[in-house]
Amino acid sequence: MSFRHYLYRPPAVSAAEAVRLVEDGALVIDVRRQFEWNRVHIPGAVHAPLEELLDRCLEFPDDRLLITFCTGGIRSAGAANLLVENGFDAVNMSGGLVHWRTAGGPLIAR
């Protein structure tokens, strides 16, 4: 992924809105590293580390909203831009894991 993916502000949703969208069928794409995923992650999320995202695009459904997610929302902003550029309906979840917890979103801890 190139630096230019971080230059644009992608479409974004709040964590509270993301919780509702997931309940309605949106898919969370967790772009954090493996050790972060192993600690805690969102149930039903697809783990696709940012470094692998472009190579994994064919695995993602093209008929659902994709919500990119990371710890604080910076990596996932670039990821959302990359997915939009590749034809997906994707948004970034602002605030990442911190805001997801605050919004009462479910988590799986290991």
Side-chain angles (χ1 to χ4, degrees):
M1 191 165 88
S2 72
F3 178 72
R4 69 185 170 87
H5 291 106
Y6 294 101
L7 296 177
Y8 305 105
R9 177 171 248 145
V13 296
S14 69
E17 188 175 359
V19 170
R20 287 190 301 275
L21 290 167
V22 168
E23 290 171 356
D24 290 340
L27 178 64
V28 173
I29 307 292
D30 188 331
V31 299
R32 299 175 302 150
R33 293 186 179 103
Q34 187 67 47
F35 76 92
E36 295 171 293
W37 168 268
N38 290 344
R39 266 191 260 151
V40 64
H41 58 271
I42 296 172
V46 170
H47 183 227
L50 187 58
E51 300 80 19
E52 301 172 12
L53 189 65
L54 188 57
D55 294 333
R56 304 250 330 256
C57 279
L58 292 177
E59 299 173 27
F60 306 145
D62 59 4
D63 61 348
R64 292 170 70 184
L65 176 65
L66 304 180
I67 302 173
T68 58
F69 161 82
C70 67
T71 302
I74 295 172
R75 286 176 285 178
S76 57
N81 281 332
L82 178 84
L83 291 171
V84 167
E85 186 176 279
N86 282 277
F88 291 95
D89 184 14
V91 296
N92 178 41
M93 183 175 66
S94 302
L97 180 64
V98 174
H99 289 186
W100 179 265
R101 285 182 179 169
T102 302
L107 290 170
I108 296 174
R110 300 205 181 220

